[in-house]
Amino acid sequence: PELSWENDRDKVLPGYREEWEATRPEGGHVVGVTGDGTNDAPALKAADVGLSMGLTGTKVAQGASDIVILDDRFSSIVRAIMWGRAVYDNIRKFLQFQLTVNVVALLLVFIGAVVGFGQPINAVQMLWVNLIMDTLGALALGTEAPTPELLNRKPYKRSSSLISRPMLRNILCISFYELIVLLILLFIGPGYFNIKSGIACARYSVKSSTTKWNANTNLKITNDTLLSVILPDDIITCSDFRKFCYGKDNNQYCLEDHSYSLTSTSTKFNFHHLQDFDNDCLTCTKNDYTHGTLIFNTFIFCQLFNEYTSRSIFNDVNIFKGILSNFAFIYVSIFTAGAQIFLVELGGNFMKTTPISITLWVVSIILGFGSMIVGVLMRFIPVTEDPDSFFDTTKSKDSVLTTKKIPSSLELTRIA
C-alpha cells in the first residue's frame, strides 16, 4: 500500500520497462485523446494532443484540451491532422527558402569584402532582401493549403530533423548556382557588359582651377618659363574637360576611356593620365551604381524564382502544382517584381542603384529564371528522405511477434 505505481513499478515488476522498450523500438506513440466531460480532463491534459468537443463538451474539458472540435464531428480530427501536416511542410518550405538566401548573401558579401570589392550588396539593399526573405517569403510559402495526399505519408518522429535530405540537396544546388552567377557578374560582368566596376562617377563638375598640363608628358606645368617652350595646342586646362565632355551623362568614360587632341595636329592626351587632373579639376556630383545594381537585381530575381522552387521540398518536378489556389503567393510575386523595378529605377542614392538598360534587365531576369531551371533539374538527382525519420508502427508489431518476452516478477513467482 505504501508503494505507488508511478514511482515504484520498475522495482516491483522487474523487466516491465525492458519489455516495453523491446516491443516498441520506435518509441511510444503520439497519443490523442477525445473527451467532452469534466472527468476526461486529466486524460486530455496527459495526452500529447487533447481534443474536446465544442458543442457538448464542458468548459473544464475544453480548457484541458489542445484542440476544440467546434462541430463535434470526429471527421474534423482528420482535417486537423491534415492541416497540422500542411503547416509543418510550410515551415520547412520557408526554411529551405530562407537558408538558400542566407547562404548566398553571406558568401557573396564575404567573398566581395575579402577580394576588395567592398559590399556587393549594401546595407539598405540587404534590408529589402530581408523583407523578401522573412515577411514576403513567409507570407508566400506559409499559406499553402493542405491536400489529401498529406495523409498518405507516415508521421515523422519527434526527433526527426526539419531539414531532410532532399531539402539539403535543394539548398546546396540552388545556392551553388546563384553564387556562381553572382560571382561571375562581380568579377567578369563589368568587362563583358562594358560597365564600370564598383562605384563609378556618372557626372562631374569642373572646378575653377588655373592649373595647366603638358599633353606630351602628362605632367603639370609648374613653371611659367616652360609655357614659352610648349606649343599652345599642347597645353591642357580644366576648362578643356568641359569642352570635350560637357553634356555627356557618363563622364567617367570621357575621363578614362577616350583620347583627345586640341587640334588635328596637336598631341593626343587622356584626361585620366594627366597628373592629379581628377583631384585638381573635377568633383563628382552623381555616382554610377550600374555594376552593383546589376548584381543586386540579379540576386533579387534569383530569389523571386527560387520561391517557386521552394514550394516543393520533395522530388516533385511540377513546382507549379496548386499555385492557382494560392492567391497570396501570386500577389507576393507580383508585388516583389513591381517593387524591385521601382527600387532600381528610382532608388537613387538611398538604395545606391542606377537605372539600367533593357539589356541588363533582360540579363537579370534570365539569370534569375535559371534558378528555377536548376530547381527542376536537381530533382532528378536520386535523393530520398531518411527512412528512420518516419515513425513506423509495423516495426512495433513485428517486434511483438519476434521478440522473446521477458517474464515479469509475477510470472517468475508462478514458475517458482
Side-chain angles (χ1 to χ4, degrees):
E2 67 276 5
L3 301 179
S4 67
W5 172 259
E6 292 293 334
N7 299 327
D8 302 305
R9 59 187 178 189
D10 288 336
K11 299 177 182 178
V12 176
L13 299 175
Y16 173 82
R17 185 179 183 88
E18 288 79 1
E19 289 180 23
W20 189 92
E21 291 179 348
T23 56
R24 296 169 178 84
E26 293 289 318
H29 291 271
V30 176
V31 178
V33 173
T34 60
D36 56 3
T38 303
N39 59 321
D40 297 325
L44 291 171
K45 196 73 174 177
D48 294 292
V49 181
L51 302 103
S52 62
M53 301 302 172
L55 298 177
T56 60
T58 62
K59 295 296 182 182
V60 175
Q62 293 177 5
S65 63
D66 301 294
I67 299 175
V68 177
I69 305 175
L70 298 178
D71 56 4
D72 284 11
R73 294 181 181 179
F74 284 97
S75 59
S76 297
I77 299 177
V78 179
R79 294 180 58 194
I81 295 174
M82 187 168 61
W83 271 99
R85 293 192 175 190
V87 171
Y88 181 75
D89 281 357
N90 289 347
I91 293 174
R92 299 174 80 194
K93 292 174 184 177
F94 173 66
L95 184 61
Q96 174 179 286
F97 173 71
Q98 191 176 50
L99 287 177
T100 304
V101 178
N102 277 328
V103 168
V104 176
L106 288 176
L107 288 178
L108 177 64
V109 173
F110 175 76
I111 294 174
V114 168
V115 300
F117 273 90
Q119 295 180 338
I121 300 177
N122 61 59
V124 180
Q125 293 172 355
M126 194 62 72
L127 289 176
W128 171 236
V129 172
N130 286 334
L131 181 63
I132 294 176
M133 180 179 67
D134 296 333
T135 306
L136 298 179
L139 184 62
L141 297 173
T143 53
E144 295 283 346
T147 58
E149 290 79 7
L150 293 172
L151 298 175
N152 298 329
R153 186 180 67 202
K154 293 180 180 179
Y156 287 102
K157 292 181 181 177
R158 300 174 188 265
S159 59
S160 62
S161 175
L162 274 175
I163 303 177
S164 63
R165 292 174 181 174
M167 288 175 62
L168 186 60
R169 174 203 59 193
N170 299 346
I171 293 171
L172 293 177
C173 290
I174 295 295
S175 299
F176 179 78
Y177 166 78
E178 292 184 0
L179 187 61
I180 292 299
V181 166
L182 295 172
L183 288 178
I184 289 175
L185 292 179
L186 181 63
F187 293 104
I188 307 176
Y192 188 81
F193 296 107
N194 192 27
I195 58 178
K196 291 296 180 182
S197 177
I199 301 176
C201 186
R203 185 176 299 121
Y204 288 107
S205 65
V206 181
K207 301 177 182 178
S208 58
S209 174
T210 58
T211 308
K212 298 179 176 61
W213 285 264
N214 186 347
N216 294 297
T217 63
N218 294 326
L219 299 177
K220 292 181 183 179
I221 302 174
T222 57
N223 191 338
D224 292 339
T225 306
L226 297 176
L227 292 174
S228 60
V229 298
I230 301 175
L231 295 176
D233 290 343
D234 290 335
I235 298 175
I236 312 300
T237 62
C238 293
S239 59
D240 289 326
F241 184 85
R242 187 183 295 110
K243 172 183 177 182
F244 289 104
C245 301
Y246 179 77
K248 296 186 178 179
D249 187 50
N250 197 329
N251 290 154
Q252 187 152 352
Y253 289 99
C254 185
L255 174 70
E256 298 179 358
D257 298 341
H258 298 286
S259 297
Y260 306 94
S261 59
L262 296 179
T263 64
S264 59
T265 59
S266 60
T267 305
K268 284 193 173 184
F269 65 93
N270 182 293
F271 285 111
H272 189 61
H273 295 161
L274 300 178
Q275 181 185 7
D276 295 333
F277 184 86
D278 305 23
N279 297 328
D280 292 344
C281 293
L282 303 178
T283 301
C284 185
T285 58
K286 180 181 178 182
N287 287 323
D288 180 13
Y289 304 106
T290 302
H291 186 202
T293 303
L294 176 62
I295 296 175
F296 170 61
N297 203 39
T298 303
F299 179 78
I300 294 299
F301 276 100
C302 280
Q303 308 320 319
L304 177 61
F305 289 107
N306 184 33
E307 281 186 347
Y308 290 83
T309 303
S310 299
R311 293 185 68 247
S312 173
I313 54 177
F314 303 108
N315 293 321
D316 301 330
V317 177
N318 184 10
I319 59 178
F320 297 103
K321 183 179 180 181
I323 194 172
L324 294 180
S325 62
N326 189 351
F327 294 105
F329 190 97
I330 298 174
Y331 294 150
V332 166
S333 298
I334 295 174
F335 174 79
T336 302
Q340 179 63 18
I341 295 173
F342 175 83
L343 292 176
V344 168
E345 295 297 321
L346 301 175
N349 288 327
F350 175 73
M351 289 293 298
K352 288 184 171 55
T353 57
T354 298
I356 56 178
S357 63
I358 296 297
T359 301
L360 294 183
W361 270 108
V362 173
V363 169
S364 301
I365 295 174
I366 291 177
L367 292 177
F369 183 74
S371 64
M372 182 183 291
I373 297 176
V374 173
V376 173
L377 296 179
M378 70 185 180
R379 300 181 191 279
F380 292 98
I381 301 175
V383 177
T384 57
E385 289 205 75
D386 184 5
D388 292 334
S389 62
F390 295 100
F391 190 92
D392 191 356
T393 56
T394 59
K395 293 184 179 180
S396 299
K397 296 178 181 179
D398 296 339
S399 60
V400 171
L401 298 175
T402 58
T403 304
K404 183 178 180 180
K405 182 180 179 182
I406 302 174
S408 64
S409 60
L410 181 60
E411 291 172 331
L412 290 173
T413 304
R414 290 177 178 176
I415 294 175

